[in-house]
Amino acid sequence: MAQTINTRVTRTDARRKVTGAATYAADEIPAGMLHGALACSSIAVGTVTSINTSVAEAEPGVVAVYTHETLPDYKTVKGFYAGGPGSASFWPMEGTEIRYAGQPVAYVVAETAAAARRGADLVEVSYEEGESRIHMTPDDSFVVGAGEDSDGMILDQGDLQAGLDSAAQSVDMTFTTPFQHHNPMEMFAATAEWRGDRLTVWMPSQSVRTLRAGIAGAYGLPETSVRVISSFVGGAFGSKAGITPYTMLTIAAAKGVGAPVRLIVTRPQMYTVATFRPESEQKFRLGADAEGRLTAFEHIETAQTSQFDMVVNAGTHITRAMYACPNIRTEQRLSRSDTNTGGFMRAPNEMQTFWGLESAMDELAWKLEMDPVELRRVNDAREHPTEGVPFSSRSLMESYDAVAQSFGWADRGREVGSMTDGDWLVGYGCATATYPTNILASNARVRMQASGNAYIALAAHDVGTGTYTIMAQVAAARLGVPVEAVDVVMGEASFPVAPISGGSTTAASAGSAVHDGCMKIAQQVATRVSAMSEGPLSGVDPAQVTLDDGTLRGPNGQSQSLAEALSMLPEGEVEVIGEFRHPALTNELVAATFKGGYGTAGPVTPDFAMFAFGAEMAEVHIHRYTHEIRVPRLHGAFAAGTWLNRKTAHSQLLGGMVWGIGSALHEVTETDSARSRFLNANIAEYLIPVNADIREVRVEMLEEQDDYVNPLGVKGIGELGIVGTAAAIGNAVYHATGTRLTSLPIRMSDLVST
Amino acid sequence: MRSFSYSSPGQIGDASDAARESGAQIIAGGTTMVDLMKIGVIAPDALVDINGLSDLEGYAVAGDRMRFGALAKMSTVADDPAVIDAFPALSESLWKAASPQLRNVATLGGNILQRTRCPYFRDTAYAQCNKRNPGSGCAALEGGETNLHAILGGSSACVAMYPGDFAQALIAFDAEVVVSGAGGERTIPFSQLHVQPGDSPEVETVLEPGEIVTEIVLPVVPAMANSTYLKARDRESYAFASASAAVGVAMDGDTVSDVRIALGGVASVPWRATDAEDSLRGQPLTEETAREAGRIAFETAEELEGSAYKIALGADVVAGALMQVKSRMGGE
């Protein structure tokens, strides 16, 4: 058999995707379907005093115009941060209250999408406007769970002040990051079809089982009466994780008009009806002795949250795992403002915090007159600095050494401003990347036939990352069949339980369930053929039979291919449910996942701390007249256990680094502070890198063995690539110019001498 | 988008007649117009499609006057080696605009009439926009963000920025536009086509209802061949200018005999920096004189909070463009 793991395998769905044969949620058109459109509030805070729907209702093609007074049988669910499946705790159109700009105030159903949107434009809403504030204010912030400290929102270990006092060099710096939006290519969409008390919902989702559990619970239906289908997802990045109002509104509207309704949310509305990356402030105080060993480490993160939820993406829990230090203090704070509730956006705990941490580390290295790579080396931790358990594997310095080699780090000028290229100032910078290894329970149905075909079904999702392909690879490797012989179906809530596609968990957790299913098939087949009077494995102890690349092997060299053994069974096939239950998964965590929630163990278990690591190096050019900032080279080296598919893994890391360039230099959701609205809610004015911004991006994938994380030895990589990129670029800007920038994105306006 | 009627006249006179009707809107490439219709900023009753007027597609750069038909595509003109050779700033101002897809359909005539990207103009959730809704106020100036706005040629009613690139190459080199309407044909200096906002920002040009831009004409001067368009923007492509400069220089020995400087990304209308030009004429072209010209170009700029950085940036871009021309001419 050809190698199917740790090799480059082209996506099994590539052809379907490029030919349009892959069906995304909005491609499903049930018979008699009508079209929905949202009308959204123009104010951020206040009250709806009246809504005139008569003009909209008179528009040709409009079937119904629903408001908070007229939408029938509209149900809502609890918000995620209150322990529910919803994207936010506050639901629009339950009453007259407006709590964020762009909040849905009316839902129009029409015969065409164009008529629905025209109708939405014609809904006339009057408001009484209240005072609002869109930005967080660190002066008005609070610690989550203060007093109880149950979730480690404040951690104080050692004596920070003593560590600062004894330091040879120290830094005290404050960094900020802006609101950002995910902007997946595929728009938010939901199609709802009721047939009596049975409901089908098609929508792009990172968690079909969360959706089904939430919807069924809200309507008091058994889960078997609700189908949720999300076969392909055109990018999610955290934006399609929870149940958002547009889905529940569409379900209610479909019930109201007695016909299937499809809503495709417009791009500007996508900025307000779902989640985003909250803005944040990152305060760091670091101290080090003359050799660079950290004597003090303090990180206070303050993140924006809505008035009605507490979005806790605890970045301090990640930063404090990075470097060895006896005196560590971290604090996790929130500040409220008048927006919808934010949420997860690719590397939700790490992108903002590593911009701060790794910039502060760079500043410390300059103060110490030390190579910033060496500063990381002397502080490389072998055990988790605050949890006291060893890392299950940690290849941070291997990553630095590999990327330094590939990048040519040794060739850099040692002084600020010492490198130029024509009219361009040149700088080099580096930063650490990490991502926690989260572990969730998962099942997978695995069936193998004597023909050599295998079938896999699970309620996982391919959010564009290649999950269909890697699930097939895992089965192919174990069962000894070609990848093409494995048919994988996913994205439907009725399939066996699989994790939410968030926190970089699917490959590791769902892949391990597929692995277990293959092993179970081998055991069942071995048991049955060993009990037969003939055949190569007749009479062997089935407990001693192993599965090796599709071959069953007995203790004394007996062997038989799995396919041949299956042909001896009257069924000609065996079907099992593979299960992944990592020893660190408590019953409560397993139960949470099976109820549609996010029951993650890790990154710290009683035995180990589990993280993937990497290092990135950037070359930045800054034009001496235009002050334009460009990144001609970005190199990264990463270690994340076993690489299942070197091609899709490479794409994930590369894509993360490209996004990191965007986070560093381009991405910001502009705000109108006077009226608390997002201003650039479209992808012409919300800048992301274009092809011309991406020059050389190189990814080195290091080998790493980790037998603890899961049977496959896999760590999640979906978010690893973006972490550290912004700091590597910011540090390179400092090297080129001597200007230390502390707010993202870094723009040429920051580098103009005023 | 509202429903509208559509016509595609074959003769310019018919097109002009149709466009003179109340609620009518001329459409060519449509790259701005369709966008604005989709987001509800404009809602014409009738679209008059002039793409059928194929006489307006031609252009010629030979002779003592360059002539560009209003329906010539941005990409066609930008990529023409004769244009690149004779007037690099014009080619560069076109290919540094928008994206290849847009340049393939956008026309020169439509491009010069491109509307502002002021976010308050483009978001109808804002009642306040004197340009979109005369007399309603200016959300940008009333506590809003002003980082995309004009520091030159704005008014207390409107600080919307003219976003185009091509126009800077035109105004720097004394272009004229030929327009056709009910009163027949007339020629307007390009510098007089656009109108500063003053008290009535809804009026953006001197075009009469039904008047159609048919041709852009430029007198050929030596400085055209030594010209460039330098555009500073936050990403490498597909971004509006934070500041830009179209410049051209002719030298008489060691001193500047003719110089053209126009500024993009900073003004309410296409903007010629004549004082900066005056400072250079008769002077040697050095880093010092170039930087001085840049400084003078922004002497009258307003200190608009969000766009304050553009004063220094714009001056640097002018200096950079002049030095780029100098180096292309074989200077040190």
Side-chain angles (χ1 to χ4, degrees), chain A residues 618-639:
Chain A
E619 177 176 340
V620 162
H621 287 194
I622 295 154
H623 196 271
R624 60 186 287 247
Y625 289 109
T626 66
H627 309 282
E628 288 169 305
I629 310 162
R630 301 292 185 249
V631 182
R633 292 196 303 145
L634 180 66
H635 290 198
F638 305 92

Side-chain angles (χ1 to χ4, degrees), chain B residues 227-282:
Chain B
S227 66
T228 192
Y229 183 72
L230 185 60
K231 181 174 180 180
R233 43 186 166 169
D234 279 314
R235 64 181 171 191
E236 186 71 30
S237 178
Y238 192 45
F240 293 94
S242 293
S244 70
V247 307
V249 175
M251 301 294 289
D252 180 7
D254 287 339
T255 61
V256 173
S257 59
D258 185 17
V259 57
R260 312 299 181 98
I261 302 173
L263 312 176
V266 292
S268 62
V269 292
W271 196 269
R272 178 101 174 247
T274 47
D275 288 348
E277 293 176 358
D278 292 344
S279 79
L280 271 172
R281 216 168 280 113

